[in-house]
């Protein structure tokens, strides 16, 4: 049985593309809710297609994650850290899928179409329902905050492995062995 040292190149590309997109999306979201200037409309026009792209990429990412073998965590890690690592990864996948779906449903409930440009409009996920919108709006914000915190914890753990432990966990996603 061959031991896998690095994530499959497709998984690495999707991971880093999604990392950039999610960070951009979080900042775009903050910008959208904190401005009423003309910038709001521009940010909003970026927010919807970027959310749909993230949703499509998370579906691809889960498929790739199930399709290809992934590196094992180092045996020296305590059991609670291994469990936390696995749970946090699946929480990230869940949040990366739930956030755009809740946003899409929220807009649908408000009666707003999800337009992606070039004449592409997605079908409504739910019927117009202002009470449902009133529930989904704070849920979308709460999920964004939870996603932000989870991403920060993920980044902290990645840097811990890269800079302090130097145990190959970080390099398994970068594909770069570097100096040990």
């Amino acid at each position: 049985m061959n031991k896998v040292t690095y994530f499959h190149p497709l998984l690495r590309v999707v991971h880093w593309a999604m990392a950039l997109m999610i960070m951009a999306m979080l900042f775009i979201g903050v910008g959208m809710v904190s401005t009423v200037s003309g910038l709001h409309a521009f940010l909003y026009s970026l927010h919807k297609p970027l959310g749909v792209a993230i949703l499509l990429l998370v579906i691809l990412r889960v498929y790739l994650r199930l399709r290809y073998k992934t590196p094992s965590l180092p045996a020296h890690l305590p059991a609670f850290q291994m469990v936390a690592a696995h749970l946090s990864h699946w929480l990230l996948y869940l949040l990366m899928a739930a956030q755009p779906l809740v946003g899409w449903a929220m807009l649908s409930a408000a009666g707003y179409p999800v337009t992606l440009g070039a004449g592409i409009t997605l079908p409504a996920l739910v019927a117009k329902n202002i009470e449902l919108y009133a529930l989904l709006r704070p849920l979308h914000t709460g999920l964004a905050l939870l996603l932000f915190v989870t991403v920060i914890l993920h980044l902290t753990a990645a840097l811990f492995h890269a800079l302090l432990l130097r145990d190959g966990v970080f390099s398994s996603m970068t594909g770069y062995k570097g100096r040990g």
Side-chain angles (χ1 to χ4, degrees):
M1 180 177 219
N2 293 338
K3 181 180 177 188
V4 176
T5 307
Y6 299 104
F7 283 89
H8 189 277
L10 285 174
L11 265 168
R12 292 196 312 259
V13 167
V14 172
H15 172 273
W16 292 109
M18 288 186 75
L20 291 173
M21 293 168 82
I22 289 168
M23 291 308 294
M25 182 63 99
L26 290 169
F27 285 106
I28 289 168
V30 168
M32 281 176 27
V33 299
S34 63
T35 185
V36 291
S37 69
L39 184 60
H40 180 271
F42 172 71
L43 293 174
Y44 194 68
S45 72
L46 294 176
H47 193 77
K48 291 185 286 184
L50 192 54
V52 171
I54 289 169
L55 178 60
L56 293 173
L57 283 176
V58 78
I59 293 166
L60 173 63
R61 188 166 172 184
V62 169
Y63 167 77
L64 292 172
R65 179 74 189 258
L66 296 172
R67 168 80 171 81
Y68 296 107
K69 290 183 181 183
T70 58
S72 299
L73 290 170
H76 68 80
L77 290 180
F80 81 92
Q81 284 184 6
M82 288 190 187
V83 169
H86 289 296
L87 289 177
S88 68
H89 278 105
W90 289 108
L91 177 60
L92 278 169
Y93 290 133
L94 177 68
L95 291 170
M96 290 183 295
Q99 183 65 354
L101 286 171
V102 168
W104 185 359
M106 176 187 73
L107 290 174
S108 298
Y112 297 122
V114 177
T115 54
L116 304 179
I120 300 171
T121 301
L122 299 180
L125 278 186
V126 298
K128 185 175 179 179
N129 179 326
I130 203 65
E131 290 84 14
L132 180 58
Y133 171 80
L135 292 172
L136 294 174
R137 180 69 188 100
L139 178 60
H140 191 63
T141 300
L143 288 174
L145 293 172
L146 182 57
L147 179 59
F148 178 73
V149 168
T150 308
V151 165
I152 294 300
L153 290 172
H154 181 73
L155 179 60
T156 302
L159 292 173
F160 178 71
H161 283 280
L163 302 174
L164 297 176
L165 296 181
R166 298 180 185 211
D167 57 7
V169 170
F170 185 77
S171 64
S172 70
M173 186 49 81
T174 63
Y176 175 73
K177 184 168 177 146
R179 295 179 295 176

